[in-house]
Amino acid sequence: MDVVIEGKALLDSGLTSCCIGISDGRIAKIAKTISIADRRYDLSNLLLLPAGIDLHVHFREPGMTHKEDFNTGSMSAVVGGTTFVMDMPNTLPATRSLSDLKEKIETASGKCYADFGLAALLDSRTNAESLAGRATALKMYVGETTGGLGVRQEEISGLLGKAAAAKLPLMVHAEHTVPLPEIEETDLDGHDRHRSDGYEHMAAKAVCGNKPQEMRLHLLHVTTARVLKIARESGSTAEITPHHLLLDKSMKLGTWGKVNPPLRSKSTRLKLWEALASGLGDTVGSDHSPHTIAEKEEDFDAAPSGMPGAETRMPLMLQAVAERRLDIAQLSRYCCRRPAEIIGVPKGQLKEGFDADIIAVDLRTGAKISADKLHSKCGWSAFDGMRAIFPRAVFLRGEKVSEAGEIVGERAGRYFGGGGSG
Ligand code: NCD
Ligand code: ZN
C-alpha cells in the first residue's frame, strides 16, 4: 500500500476501528490491520468520514476574480473538509459553449486544491449535444438572479428535453416563472416577501412537472418541505443549503443574509430541519456565492444576493451531528454519498474502489467560526460566531491537503467531466 490511514471509519456497517489502505489514490483495502505501507497515519483517536462533495459553488472565475477564484475558493472548500466541488456557469463570460468549458477546465487545472466538476449553462443558445460527455452537468436558471441568465417559462420543457438527450444531470435554480413586481426591498423580510416561497413552489412544479422520465433533475437550494416533496414525487433530487437550515429572516443579518432564494421565516426553517432529519431532500450544498464586503455594504435594495459557504458547510453539519440534530450516516448521505451519485463520480463513500477522499474529525472539539480565519477571498461570513467542527485533517486521493485549518498539500485538483452514469 502507498498509504494507510488508521481510525474509526464510517463504513456501511457503521463506525468501525480499522485501517484504510490506499493505492494509486483509491481505497484498495479496508481491514482490521494492514501491516505494510509506505506511509502510515495513526488517527485512531479520530473519526474517519468520506470527504465532502459540494455540487454548488460559484468560484467566480473567469471575470469576477476580485470576489473569488479557483485558488481561494478551493482552499476554502478543502480546509472545510470538501474535496470535490462543482462550479456554476454564471461567470463572465458564462460557461455555455464547449470552448468556454475547455477554457475553464484549463484555468482551474493547476490552480484548484479540490477535484472539480463544471456545470455548463443551459438556455436557448446552448448546444447541449456538444457538451455531452464533456460537462459534468448542466445548469438552468428559472428566475432572475446574479448573472441575468434566467429562461422563460415557455422554454422550460424544450430545454429539459435537450438536457435529457445529452444524458447530463441538470441542476436547476427554480425560483419564479412569472416576472416579479417592481418593489423596493429594505430588509430580509421585504426580500422574502418579494421573492416568496409561493413563486418557488410554482417554479418547482413547472420544472418537475415537465421532467422526462429518464433524466436526472436536481433542484438547487430548496427552502420548503413542500418543494422537497414535489421533487421527490417527480423522481427528481433536491438540495438544501446550510443557510436555509441555520439562518432565517428574523435574524438581524441585513444584507449579509440577502440570498436567492431568500431566507424564510423561522417556522419554515424549522420544518426544513424536520424534513431533512426525516430523509427528505438528497444533498446539502453550500451555494457558495461570494460578493465583496463593499458590495454587501451597499443599501439593502442594491446589494447583491449570495453568501460564501464552501468552508463552513461540513463544519456546520458536523456541529449538527454533535448536537444530535442529525446522525452521522445522514450527514454522510447528504454531504458525500448522494451528491457523488447524482453526478456519477467514484467518491463520497469509504469503500474499496472509491477515491481515498477522507476527513478526520473529532466531534468533541467545536469552535466558533471566525470570518478572518476563513480562506474565501470575500473575507466575511454570515455564520460568523456560530459553533462548528472543522476537520483535523483532509485527504484528497490519499494525499493530505489540509491540516488544522491550513493548506498543507498541492494544487492537485482534477476535472471530472462526462456526467457519469448516475
Ligand atoms: C448566486 C450568485 O451570487 O452567483 N446568488 C445567490 O443569491 N444564490 C446566484 C444564484 O444561485 O442565485
Ligand atoms: Zn441559484
Side-chain angles (χ1 to χ4, degrees):
M1 294 294 164
D2 302 335
V3 182
V4 165
I5 304 176
E6 192 169 353
K8 199 168 182 191
L10 184 67
L11 310 179
D12 277 351
S13 51
L15 288 169
T16 312
S17 294
C18 61
C19 290
I20 300 180
I22 299 162
S23 165
D24 287 333
R26 292 214 161 183
I27 299 175
K29 187 174 174 186
I30 299 177
K32 268 269 161 259
T33 52
I34 300 176
S35 43
I36 299 174
D38 295 348
R39 249 178 309 147
R40 177 177 289 275
Y41 296 95
D42 180 1
L43 305 176
S44 41
N45 53 343
L46 298 176
L47 297 184
L48 302 179
L49 307 176
I53 312 275
D54 190 349
L55 293 186
H56 194 174
V57 303
H58 299 265
F59 282 174
R60 308 298 193 202
E61 187 164 6
M64 289 172 279
T65 51
H66 59 293
K67 297 184 199 249
E68 195 76 284
D69 59 33
F70 276 100
N71 179 42
T72 51
S74 67
M75 277 168 78
S76 189
V78 160
V79 171
T82 291
T83 55
F84 183 95
V85 289
M86 187 158 74
D87 186 55
M88 294 296 119
N90 61 337
T91 44
L92 292 173
T95 316
R96 183 190 278 111
S97 68
L98 185 57
S99 73
D100 298 329
L101 185 81
K102 283 182 174 162
E103 221 161 282
K104 207 183 242 192
I105 296 169
E106 196 138 313
T107 306
S109 302
K111 218 175 165 183
C112 201
Y113 286 96
D115 282 351
F116 62 99
L118 298 176
L121 181 70
L122 179 65
D123 69 4
S124 59
R125 289 162 57 196
T126 309
N127 177 350
E129 225 172 285
S130 71
L131 297 161
R134 316 295 279 274
T136 314
L138 294 170
K139 163 94 183 255
M140 178 168 77
Y141 289 90
V142 177
E144 283 310 329
T145 184
T146 315
L149 301 167
V151 304
R152 283 175 288 119
Q153 177 158 19
E154 56 274 24
E155 295 176 308
I156 293 173
S157 129
L159 291 172
L160 292 175
K162 273 201 201 184
K167 294 194 165 46
L168 285 169
L170 177 64
M171 315 277 133
V172 186
H173 174 126
E175 215 190 334
H176 62 96
T177 46
V178 290
L180 296 172
E182 292 271 331
I183 38 173
E184 203 187 330
E185 298 175 4
T186 53
D187 57 16
L188 289 177
D189 183 52
H191 189 54
D192 175 43
R193 280 188 286 111
H194 191 192
R195 312 173 73 103
S196 75
D197 59 11
Y199 291 116
E200 188 185 337
H201 299 156
M202 279 197 311
K205 280 194 166 162
V207 175
C208 294
N210 281 295
K211 177 181 127 29
Q213 213 184 343
E214 69 286 3
M215 89 175 299
R216 278 174 284 161
L217 180 63
H218 189 51
L219 284 192
L220 298 174
H221 43 43
V222 170
T223 69
T224 71
R226 197 165 130 205
V227 172
L228 293 177
K229 285 191 195 111
I230 295 173
R232 183 66 53 94
E233 279 158 14
S234 71
S236 308
T237 53
E239 171 192 81
I240 303 171
T241 69
H243 48 275
H244 290 112
L245 286 169
L246 294 163
L247 308 175
D248 63 61
K249 67 178 181 175
S250 72
M251 298 172 175
K252 300 266 168 286
L253 293 163
T255 57
W256 311 105
K258 186 179 177 189
V259 64
N260 294 336
L263 300 181
R264 307 296 188 196
S265 65
K266 186 171 180 188
S267 72
T268 302
R269 174 170 81 77
L270 296 178
K271 284 193 197 117
L272 197 61
W273 261 118
E274 279 171 27
L276 181 89
S278 76
L280 261 181
D282 296 86
T283 67
V284 171
S286 70
D287 188 9
H288 177 79
S289 300
H291 295 287
T292 64
I293 289 177
E295 287 168 321
K296 281 294 203 181
E297 280 177 343
E298 288 175 38
D299 287 345
F300 193 92
D301 202 43
S305 290
M307 62 174 74
E311 190 161 350
T312 47
R313 180 187 69 124
M314 291 290 282
L316 286 166
M317 297 313 286
L318 286 163
Q319 178 69 27
V321 171
E323 291 172 11
R324 300 185 191 283
R325 306 170 85 177
L326 203 66
D327 69 43
I328 197 129
Q330 285 174 311
L331 174 137
S332 135
R333 186 172 87 84
Y334 284 107
C335 297
C336 317
R337 179 167 67 80
R338 290 296 286 137
E341 285 171 351
I342 285 168
I343 54 160
V345 293
K347 293 179 178 285
Q349 297 183 60
L350 300 183
K351 249 190 193 162
E352 285 169 20
F354 281 68
D355 283 357
D357 292 5
I358 299 168
I359 59 174
V361 303
D362 183 346
L363 288 180
R364 296 159 305 187
T365 57
K368 281 189 176 171
I369 293 174
S370 154
D372 56 353
K373 292 214 180 86
L374 301 176
H375 294 75
S376 167
K377 209 180 267 190
C378 74
W380 61 274
S381 168
F383 302 107
D384 198 38
M386 290 181 78
R387 287 194 78 78
I389 296 170
F390 284 82
R392 302 276 284 273
V394 181
F395 297 85
L396 170 66
R397 285 181 272 103
E399 297 295 324
K400 200 194 276 176
V401 272
S402 169
E403 187 163 31
E406 291 309 330
I407 292 284
V408 296
E410 306 291 316
R411 290 185 268 204
R414 279 189 200 154
Y415 178 62
F416 284 66
S421 57

